[in-house]
Structure formats: C-alpha cells, structure tokens
Amino acid sequence: MIAVVTGANKGIGYHIAEQLLPSVTLLILACRDLGRGAAAAKMMMTTKSEYADKLRVMQLDISDSTSIDTFVASVGEIDVLVNNAGIAYKNADPTPFKEQCLPTLKTNFWGTIELTEKLKPKKSCECGLKGWKVISTQSRKTKTIFF
C-alpha cells in the first residue's frame, strides 16, 4: 500500500505519517519545503529506523498547479491520500481579512481538490480497501471520504 501525507513535516501530518509508516509499503512525506521534510524524516528515523527504505520525501506546494502536476507525475497511483497541508494566518497578523481569503482558499480548498482529483486512481485499488482512501484534516475535525 502506497500512502501520501501532505504537510507531513510537522504537527498532525507528521504524527499521522509516523503512525502510517509501519503499515505501508511506501510512505511519501509531501512537503512544501524539502529541507523541513528531510528534517522530519530524519527525526522520524530516530525511532523508526527499520522503516527507512519505506520513507520518501517529495516537494509539493498545493497552492501551485505546476508543483501538483510534477508531484502527480512522479508519484503515479497511490492507495491512501492524507490531505493535511494548509495555511492559516495568525490572529495577530495585520493582513486585512479580505487579502487573507484568496491565498487561504487557494491552498486549503482549491489546492486540496486539485491534488485529490489528479491523484484519483484510474482503476480500482488492489490494497484490500473498497476504492481508495482520502483523509482530509482540518484544525477541528477530520473527514474520511471513500471513492
């Protein structure tokens, strides 16, 4: 089973990836910043070094269609997608709310939809699941969607 976790270099994404690692054949940490992704992988290997051959870090910026296309072309078909990447402005950020909306929606909504649609398998999954599994995280709840 091949799994991708976006935004996997810290927080919820990191911990989801850490828990998935023992049960997959390949886990891809999809991170906007390759340096942070590599640091996360190195930290994960301090407790899970026996799975080093199952872990890969790849660059992905879900707010950029070119980055999504490059990522999808490199990955091929997958069995599990955890949509965790996203942005959030801090409460103290002086950027006017109206100006925060476009980049937030482009990343957290449209980028997630574009990635999910482009990774959707062309054939049924051979991983034992009915369809493929997509998990999308938010700050307050997680949703699982079966296709």
Side-chain angles (χ1 to χ4, degrees):
M1 178 170 50
I2 299 172
V4 170
V5 180
T6 66
N9 59 296
K10 64 181 179 176
I12 294 169
Y14 176 87
H15 292 288
I16 289 171
E18 189 175 44
Q19 295 303 307
L20 273 174
L21 186 57
S23 14
V24 299
T25 54
L26 176 63
L27 176 64
I28 300 167
L29 306 181
C31 305
R32 184 176 46 209
D33 182 315
L34 273 177
R36 289 182 183 173
K42 184 177 179 181
M43 183 170 30
M44 203 175 289
M45 288 302 98
T46 61
T47 58
K48 299 194 178 306
S49 60
E50 67 272 26
Y51 303 113
D53 59 327
K54 299 165 78 175
L55 187 62
R56 185 185 318 163
V57 178
M58 294 180 67
Q59 197 280 332
L60 173 64
D61 180 349
I62 65 167
S63 68
D64 179 352
S65 290
T66 302
S67 178
I68 291 172
D69 290 340
T70 301
F71 180 81
V72 169
S74 298
V75 169
E77 291 207 9
I78 65 167
D79 303 299
V80 176
L81 170 61
V82 179
N83 284 314
N84 176 68
I87 63 167
Y89 284 82
K90 305 289 184 214
N91 287 339
D93 192 304
T95 307
F97 179 72
K98 186 175 178 180
E99 292 174 28
Q100 293 179 19
C101 288
L102 184 60
T104 301
L105 286 171
K106 183 172 176 49
T107 303
N108 299 359
F109 182 72
W110 293 113
T112 298
I113 288 174
E114 182 179 356
L115 177 66
T116 303
E117 284 296 316
K118 288 181 176 178
L119 278 175
K120 188 165 54 176
K122 313 289 186 273
K123 59 182 174 64
S124 63
C125 163
E126 297 175 13
C127 63
L129 299 171
K130 291 189 177 202
W132 72 310
K133 193 165 201 143
V134 177
I135 301 160
S136 294
T137 64
Q138 299 173 357
S139 60
R140 296 182 187 240
K141 58 183 163 180
T142 300
K143 298 200 181 243
T144 302
I145 305 163
F146 293 93
F147 289 87

